[in-house]
Amino acid sequence: MEVEGRRVAVVGMGGAFPTCSDINDFSDKLFSNKSLIRVWDQALAFDKQVRSKVSGYITDAETNLETIYSTIVAGYPEVHVDLLNRIPPGNLATSDMGSIWAMLGTMDAIRMAGWSVEETQSEKTGVVLGSGGCGHALLRPAWHHIFEVGGKSRSAGAHTVDRAMVYREAANVSCLIKNRGVCEAVVSACATGLGNIGYAYRLIKFGMQDRVVAGGIETTSIETLFGFDGMQVLSRGFAPEESSRPFDMKRNGFVCSFGAGIVCLEEYNSAKSRGANILGVIDSYFNNSDGDGDMFYPSFGGQRRLWKGLLGSSEIKPDVVKVHGTSTPAGDPIELLSVVDVLGEDGFHISAPKSQFGHMLGAAGAVEFITAILMLKEQAVLPCLNSIDLNPELENIQKSPNWDGPNAPLQNFRHLLPMQSFKKEINTIACLNYGFGGTNSAMLVSKD
């Protein structure tokens, strides 16, 4: 049950972002309408084995890290070295690259939040972090060495399990900051990032924690790109900066990207009383399942119920809707139609951050939540890059005899999708993310 009077403030954020040195660099590039997507040399190396060769990926150098590979197990990242000595060697020993991004992002977010050591290590401080994938860069060479080469199990060292387990980012962050509250990972495909922030919101709202480090991570993994490329759902045939094109008629798939988004949440009165810089206030969170038994195809009915649960009986109309906007042929029309079905055809704008950095999978919802906080800060709407031409004809789903949503073609909503960032008074933003298995998440965040 919610505890009356408890609200949830966003007081810190950090993470790892393609081509960016820090969150300020990330913000500057986004509001300058730049794309963070580029040709990925790892994908190029496989030539005709893979169709899509673009990604929003992060190099070691961009995060001041160095990977030392095993001399026994070919391709096995034995240890990652922090060239700036930000993380103790003992914590690095149990971490994959994504866990390191999570720890660095947590340190930045806590610094921004201004939490003391006592507050951070309190029983009322939790860690809720999740990722969509599971240690591919470690497991593939380790298992190949055993099953194909005939090597011994100990040849990959003693940390393959803890560096590759599903819960690894939360575990490593908790061990680094030594919090005494909850330490959990919520995994829900591409809704993971926002789902972990939503769960953290509830922990505070329900009085179970006063502070939570929350977010999502997706570690750089060529195996992940291969998996989605095999499903034929990745973008191909465009220049890198034109590859992610939500709602555009020429879209043919998403851009597989990687990164981390970490936020510090705190009970509002606690943050206010200590003079914290409140970046935003979470007003509502709701999640549900489509319930139609389809693993992949999005559901208009599920998204309509998601909006109903998010808004409840309130008359809040967000100034901006931060959409999931993957650039997939099936997903984009249903999402746009569900937004218009609930909010109408004017009075708000749509922002599609994936158009600038691709789809970060388990990190997507968290990094995109950070973009929402940045929009509140800058009082500017981030664009839908490459959303050039929308379908002038009705979608197939609109031609169904059971269809009861908007009956206008997507082209009629062209005015809602800006292709350049622009200034606007923004008080409230709705954040949307969806995932395989019909899982849906939505959050309202507003200015203090």
Side-chain angles (χ1 to χ4, degrees):
M1 294 291 291
E2 294 184 4
V3 177
E4 187 175 353
R6 284 181 75 88
R7 300 171 65 202
V8 181
V10 184
V11 293
M13 53 189 182
F17 318 104
T19 80
C20 298
S21 58
D22 55 28
I23 198 166
N24 294 323
D25 188 22
F26 181 57
S27 179
D28 290 344
K29 287 178 178 175
L30 292 183
F31 288 102
S32 298
N33 305 302
K34 293 182 179 178
S35 171
L36 310 183
I37 298 167
R38 50 193 167 172
V39 174
W40 194 8
D41 54 352
Q42 281 196 46
L44 278 178
F46 288 89
D47 194 21
K48 295 180 181 180
Q49 290 176 269
V50 60
R51 289 175 289 261
S52 182
K53 295 181 173 65
V54 295
S55 175
Y57 66 94
I58 301 172
T59 68
D60 287 9
E62 287 165 350
T63 46
N64 292 292
L65 299 166
E66 180 183 359
T67 301
I68 307 298
Y69 289 92
S70 171
T71 57
I72 300 172
V73 180
Y76 184 83
E78 190 167 287
V79 68
H80 300 291
V81 178
D82 180 5
L83 299 177
L84 300 183
N85 297 313
R86 295 158 293 182
I87 300 174
N91 296 97
L92 290 170
T94 60
S95 303
D96 72 331
M97 185 61 75
S99 296
I100 297 172
W101 293 346
M103 288 190 286
L104 293 174
T106 296
M107 293 165 70
D108 287 343
I110 288 177
R111 191 177 301 113
M112 186 182 294
W115 291 350
S116 67
V117 172
E118 290 75 21
E119 288 168 330
T120 302
Q121 297 182 0
S122 165
E123 292 182 9
K124 299 295 284 183
T125 299
V127 171
V128 181
L129 298 170
S131 61
C134 171
H136 302 305
L138 291 152
L139 295 177
R140 180 171 59 92
W143 300 157
H144 176 81
H145 185 75
I146 293 171
F147 292 116
E148 302 299 327
V149 180
K152 297 182 183 299
S153 62
R154 66 174 180 270
S155 56
H159 291 294
T160 299
V161 171
D162 44 86
R163 295 174 72 204
M165 61 185 178
V166 175
Y167 160 75
R168 63 196 181 279
E169 296 96 352
N172 277 286
V173 166
S174 184
C175 287
L176 177 73
I177 68 173
K178 299 182 176 68
N179 72 298
R180 292 176 171 83
V182 303
C183 178
E184 298 181 79
V186 176
V187 180
S188 49
C190 300
T192 293
L194 193 63
N196 278 269
I197 295 172
Y199 178 54
Y201 160 82
R202 287 171 175 162
L203 287 173
I204 295 173
K205 191 78 172 173
F206 295 175
M208 300 171 70
Q209 301 280 254
D210 288 339
R211 292 163 296 274
V212 183
V213 174
I217 306 94
E218 193 71 38
T219 310
T220 302
S221 165
I222 192 68
E223 295 85 357
T224 299
L225 183 140
F226 285 168
F228 287 113
D229 193 70
M231 294 178 71
Q232 301 185 54
V233 295
L234 296 188
S235 178
R236 59 195 184 281
F238 299 100
E241 66 276 7
E242 298 174 351
S243 295
S244 188
R245 40 197 323 115
F247 309 107
D248 183 74
M249 282 184 66
K250 294 181 181 178
R251 70 191 185 278
N252 58 22
F254 69 84
V255 173
C256 183
S257 296
F258 309 95
I262 311 295
V263 295
C264 284
L265 306 184
E266 184 173 354
E267 195 280 320
Y268 179 86
N269 289 329
S270 168
K272 201 75 173 176
S273 65
R274 67 180 182 83
N277 178 26
I278 296 177
L279 307 172
V281 179
I282 300 176
D283 299 308
S284 177
Y285 173 71
F286 189 77
N287 60 327
N288 70 354
S289 296
D290 289 338
D292 57 7
D294 196 302
M295 176 64 71
F296 308 112
Y297 203 86
S299 164
F300 180 80
Q303 293 181 26
R304 175 185 272 173
R305 287 186 287 104
L306 182 75
W307 274 105
K308 182 179 180 181
L310 179 70
L311 299 177
S313 60
S314 75
E315 297 183 359
I316 294 175
K317 184 170 183 175
D319 302 298
V320 177
V321 178
K322 191 291 300 170
V323 292
H324 193 54
T326 56
S327 301
T328 52
D332 286 9
I334 288 179
E335 180 172 23
L336 182 53
L337 291 169
S338 71
V339 170
V340 171
D341 179 66
V342 174
L343 300 181
E345 300 181 23
D346 54 46
F348 67 99
H349 287 92
I350 287 173
S351 172
K354 289 182 181 69
S355 69
Q356 294 187 266
F357 49 71
H359 190 351
M360 293 185 185
L361 310 168
V367 173
E368 292 167 20
F369 178 80
I370 287 175
T371 69
I373 298 298
L374 292 174
M375 284 191 271
L376 288 176
K377 176 186 175 184
E378 299 295 330
Q379 289 292 284
V381 181
L382 287 172
C384 301
L385 289 187
N386 307 312
S387 301
I388 301 168
D389 296 312
L390 276 63
N391 192 357
E393 306 292 336
L394 290 179
E395 303 293 324
N396 288 335
I397 190 173
Q398 292 176 291
K399 300 173 185 176
S400 165
N402 298 321
W403 176 254
D404 63 348
N407 284 311
L410 298 191
Q411 182 177 265
N412 284 31
F413 315 126
R414 162 74 273 172
H415 60 287
L416 299 176
L417 281 66
M419 287 193 290
Q420 298 284 302
S421 175
F422 71 98
K423 290 287 186 178
K424 171 186 174 175
E425 181 180 348
I426 303 174
N427 293 302
T428 303
I429 299 177
C431 297
L432 305 172
N433 288 102
Y434 315 114
F436 283 174
T439 182
N440 309 309
S441 290
M443 182 174 284
L444 284 177
V445 60
S446 65
K447 290 171 57 180
D448 183 15

